[in-house]
Amino acid sequence: IKLSYLYQFGDKGLHMVAEQLHNLESLNLCETPVTDDGLSSLVIMSNLRNLNLNSTRLSPTTYEKLRVSWGRLSLEQTTFENI
């Protein structure tokens, strides 16, 4: 699902997506204001394989946790431009 550039979409919206669409395999959150708090709701998305967090408020610490914990998850397009 592509939610990129939805500037009103934040942590609360991400929590709702994780609850309602927990079987998603791909999620694009590029240029959204999601933070580390919102990203914690992704743990229930066990089928998630591709996640684009480019230009979000993701911290390097949370990025590393995602990379190590979810070895199956592709984070190829994630950068830290807004930190």
Side-chain angles (χ1 to χ4, degrees):
I1 188 170
K2 184 177 180 180
L3 299 172
S4 56
Y5 301 99
L6 294 176
Y7 302 113
Q8 300 291 324
F9 184 85
D11 292 342
K12 187 180 265 188
L14 184 54
H15 180 71
M16 290 173 61
V17 166
E19 280 186 342
Q20 300 298 315
L21 302 171
H22 52 86
N23 288 322
L24 279 179
E25 293 182 7
S26 183
L27 183 58
N28 186 339
L29 298 170
C30 177
E31 298 282 344
T32 62
V34 296
T35 68
D36 292 351
D37 291 334
L39 292 169
S40 67
S41 62
L42 297 180
V43 297
I44 63 173
M45 299 180 78
S46 59
N47 291 329
L48 196 59
R49 299 291 181 264
N50 298 296
L51 181 60
N52 185 339
L53 297 169
N54 192 38
S55 298
T56 62
R57 296 183 181 156
L58 171 72
S59 73
T61 302
T62 298
Y63 169 81
E64 188 62 21
K65 285 180 185 176
L66 287 171
R67 190 185 66 75
V68 170
S69 300
W70 290 12
R72 68 182 189 285
L73 190 60
S74 171
L75 295 166
E76 293 177 14
Q77 297 183 25
T78 299
T79 62
F80 302 105
E81 296 172 9
N82 291 343
I83 294 177

